[in-house]
Amino acid sequence: MKTNKDVSPGLFSNIRHDLPASIVVFFVAVPLCLGIALASGAPLFSGIIAGIVGGIVVGAISNSSLGVSGPAAGLTVIVLSAIATVGSYEVFLVAVVLAGGIQILLGFCRAGIIGYYFPSAVIKGMLTAIGIIIIMKQIPHAIGYDADYEGDLSFVQPDGENTFSELIKMVDAFTPGAIVVCFLAMSIMLIWESPAIKKNPVLKFVQGPLVAVVAGIAYQYLTSKFFPGMSLGGKQLVNVPVAENMIGFFQQFTLPDFSYITEKKVWIAAMTIAVVASLESLLSVEATDKLDPLRRLTNNNRELIAQGTGNMVSGLIGGLPITQVILRSSANIQSGGKTKLSTILHGILLLLCVATIPFILNMVPLAVLAAILFMIGFKLAKPSTFIDTYRLGWSQFLPFIVTVLGVVFTDLLNGIALGVAVSITILLRNSFRNSHFLHLENHNGNKHVKMTLAEEVYFLNKGAIVKELNKIPPGTEVTIDASRSVNIDYDVQEVIRDFSRTAESKNIKVNVILDSPNKNQKRKKYTTALNEELTNPE
């Protein structure tokens, strides 16, 4: 079982790293929460609620050191369909609460073990693909074309376009102000990576992305005052709902309508959300643990309980479903976060800033956030990753590249499924090839073949063994050594039996070694049936 020491005794010991990281994650999370809510057909504020709960509630319960939770792009289609099916957003919230309860139950049933069966090559491919998608999806935002919502990771977009066609359409929508802001933000972040900044006793504790965001706000303020033609507006800025007062702020929270809790369609939606959200969270946990510089490991069962609790709370107060999200988690890691305090602080910042200064958040250009995400995307999809994985051999590279292509050209779960399918195929092929060892000998002109069977021989190995036995020429003495085998599948026993029966007609002498002097009782029972077949062929 994967475990991780609780960081609570030293929760504030890394605050000088966690606080700056939390601010960067906060700025990245705001447009993502809003964009996912918009694409889901839900109230915009529901995405903010999910981000707050994902930071504070899930962050407090989970023992993932660097994972960040919130609304996920992978659930948008499910949420959109579920809201239409159940009839209203208030009824949909009941499904979110129930989904959280199901996830908690899965956690206590130790279903988190599923997360351990995703191959390393597939997880690496997922991270690389997300890096590529981030870069391609942010190019339109960088030049001021914001038709697709922030946070979309699917190839086919809700607006009817796809990732590539969007790049073509943006050509006619260049906005000088957005390009200037993006270039300014990129320059600041590159300067902040220089040794001069890193050695400065004060500046080294300030994150480059944070400086870029402040510069973006300053640009928008100054241009709107003095150079309106260069300022940004509409979809080119963050667009947080603004309440007139605190009463109006709390009126943005929505309560679920539990009178529909017995409806079958509500439970179907709940089960769907629970399964998909759990899979996405477990995938993100595996990926985040691989990115963690300290290689800390997350308890998957506890993560399911944390995600389930978060979804129950989110549903109760009007929020979207929650998962751990690799994009925000990557931003946390690359911004220098050290413990889960950065996750919790980002949730607190979301709550405080949306409640008190939404008008300032609404001055943040999306082009600045595009520049930040460019940096994150490049670090996830470095060209060296392809080279290093290729050097590991085709058994690693093939699942990796299939996952990359699958995620880029479909979506996260379909891409992962393709990568896992290729990994399983390679595993079965290797099992097919490694069922036996063949040794050829020649004693005084007499041909002798010794086939040594592996410890475990399954029906999948039947074809390989039949192929080798059929190649043995007449006049050969064959020894089939099964003394090391713990389990020989009945199909393979049948192959050996049939070969032994027909060998004499081909002038082939067959010796079968079933037991060794040291074979224990458990291993003996698996060769009993074969022994009886060979000694009593009729």
Side-chain angles (χ1 to χ4, degrees):
M1 177 64 65
K2 290 167 62 173
T3 58
N4 186 28
K5 293 182 179 179
D6 198 322
V7 297
S8 55
L11 191 61
F12 294 95
S13 60
N14 288 288
I15 192 168
R16 64 191 180 95
H17 298 289
D18 290 331
L19 179 58
S22 70
I23 297 173
V24 174
V25 176
F26 156 69
F27 278 116
V28 170
V30 171
L32 297 181
C33 291
L34 294 170
I36 291 166
L38 179 66
S40 301
L44 282 182
F45 198 71
S46 65
I48 298 294
I49 294 171
I52 293 168
V53 174
I56 299 173
V57 177
V58 178
I61 299 173
S62 169
N63 80 326
S64 178
S65 300
L66 298 170
V68 181
S69 297
L75 290 174
T76 53
V77 175
I78 293 171
V79 173
L80 185 65
S81 173
I83 293 173
T85 301
V86 301
S88 72
Y89 188 67
E90 290 77 10
V91 178
F92 168 74
L93 292 175
V94 178
V96 178
V97 175
L98 293 174
I102 294 168
Q103 285 184 292
I104 293 173
L105 182 62
L106 289 173
F108 280 115
C109 292
R110 301 186 180 277
I113 194 172
I114 295 169
Y116 307 149
Y117 293 99
F118 294 110
S120 176
V122 171
I123 298 299
K124 193 184 298 181
M126 178 188 76
L127 288 171
T128 303
I130 289 175
I132 294 170
I133 292 171
I134 289 171
I135 293 170
M136 291 194 296
K137 292 285 190 181
Q138 290 304 314
I139 292 174
H141 295 292
I143 60 97
Y145 182 67
D146 300 281
D148 191 26
Y149 71 91
E150 280 282 8
D152 182 21
L153 298 179
S154 297
F155 182 71
V156 179
Q157 299 176 176
D159 61 0
E161 301 295 330
N162 60 54
T163 305
F164 293 143
S165 67
E166 193 84 347
L167 296 176
I168 297 171
K169 288 195 71 174
M170 76 177 187
V171 173
D172 298 325
F174 278 77
T175 304
I179 297 171
V180 169
V181 169
C182 184
F183 180 78
L184 175 64
M186 288 286 288
S187 300
I188 289 172
M189 287 187 288
L190 290 173
I191 291 170
W192 241 255
E193 293 287 328
S194 66
I197 296 293
K198 292 183 178 296
K199 292 178 181 178
N200 188 290
V202 177
L203 295 180
K204 69 178 182 180
F205 295 116
V206 181
Q207 291 293 329
L210 176 57
V211 179
V213 169
V214 173
I217 294 174
Y219 173 91
Q220 179 61 16
Y221 177 78
L222 293 172
T223 53
S224 60
K225 284 274 188 182
F226 305 108
F227 308 100
M230 289 295 291
S231 65
L232 304 172
K235 291 184 177 181
Q236 297 169 337
L237 299 170
V238 171
N239 188 21
V240 177
V242 179
E244 294 183 1
N245 49 46
M246 288 307 294
I247 294 176
F249 173 75
F250 285 109
Q251 286 176 344
Q252 296 181 95
F253 292 83
T254 308
L255 299 178
D257 185 352
F258 282 106
S259 63
Y260 289 84
I261 195 169
T262 57
E263 292 280 341
K264 180 181 177 181
K265 56 189 176 183
V266 172
W267 280 92
I268 291 174
M271 289 293 294
T272 304
I273 293 168
V275 170
V276 176
S278 297
L279 283 174
E280 288 213 12
S281 292
L282 293 174
L283 283 167
S284 184
V285 164
E286 293 296 309
T288 302
D289 287 350
K290 284 189 178 299
L291 292 174
D292 183 3
L294 300 179
R295 295 294 187 269
R296 289 165 291 187
L297 300 177
T298 301
N299 184 312
N300 285 356
N301 297 316
R302 180 167 164 178
E303 186 64 27
L304 287 177
I305 294 170
Q307 295 294 333
T309 305
N311 274 319
M312 291 192 76
V313 174
S314 184
L316 286 170
I317 60 177
L320 289 173
I322 293 168
T323 74
Q324 188 177 128
V325 189
I326 189 59
L327 199 160
R328 271 161 270 185
S329 301
S330 300
N332 186 28
I333 293 166
Q334 294 176 21
S335 299
K338 298 296 182 184
T339 72
K340 67 179 183 178
L341 178 63
S342 60
T343 300
I344 298 171
L345 288 175
H346 117 274
I348 294 172
L349 285 170
L350 264 175
L351 175 61
L352 294 178
C353 293
V354 170
T356 58
I357 54 169
F359 55 92
I360 294 180
L361 296 180
N362 288 342
M363 294 176 66
V364 178
L366 294 181
V368 171
L369 301 176
I372 295 172
L373 292 171
F374 280 150
M375 301 291 283
I376 294 171
F378 179 76
K379 290 179 180 178
L380 287 175
K382 290 180 180 177
S384 60
T385 304
F386 289 85
I387 297 170
D388 293 342
T389 308
Y390 179 76
R391 287 173 177 167
L392 293 175
W394 283 101
S395 64
Q396 290 295 306
F397 185 71
L398 197 57
F400 166 80
I401 200 67
V402 167
T403 303
V404 170
L405 295 174
V407 173
V408 169
F409 288 102
T410 59
D411 55 39
L412 182 65
L413 292 182
N414 282 325
I416 290 291
L418 288 171
V420 170
V422 171
S423 293
I424 292 173
T425 302
I426 291 172
L427 175 67
L428 294 177
R429 179 174 177 270
N430 289 339
S431 175
F432 179 89
R433 295 172 58 189
N434 298 329
S435 60
H436 60 279
F437 171 73
L438 210 63
H439 181 64
L440 306 177
E441 297 177 350
N442 198 323
H443 297 295
N444 299 322
N446 296 322
K447 297 177 182 177
H448 182 260
V449 174
K450 183 178 183 182
M451 175 182 285
T452 304
L453 300 182
E455 260 192 33
E456 303 282 344
V457 189
Y458 300 108
F459 72 94
L460 295 170
N461 308 128
K462 176 180 175 180
I465 293 174
V466 169
K467 182 179 178 181
E468 294 291 355
L469 292 177
N470 286 340
K471 290 195 304 186
I472 295 174
T476 304
E477 182 178 349
V478 180
T479 299
I480 301 175
D481 187 355
S483 62
R484 298 178 182 177
S485 300
V486 173
N487 179 28
I488 303 176
D489 195 89
Y490 177 78
D491 286 35
V492 178
Q493 294 180 23
E494 194 172 46
V495 167
I496 297 173
R497 179 199 63 195
D498 292 344
F499 178 74
S500 299
R501 285 178 173 177
T502 59
E504 188 175 351
S505 64
K506 299 177 182 178
N507 193 27
I508 297 174
K509 182 180 179 182
V510 180
N511 302 308
V512 180
I513 303 174
L514 295 173
D515 296 317
S516 68
N518 299 322
K519 181 176 284 191
N520 59 37
Q521 196 63 36
K522 180 182 177 182
R523 293 172 68 183
K524 281 184 178 180
K525 86 174 183 180
Y526 289 111
T527 55
T528 300
L530 180 58
N531 186 46
E532 291 177 354
E533 288 282 359
L534 293 173
T535 53
N536 302 292
E538 299 302 325

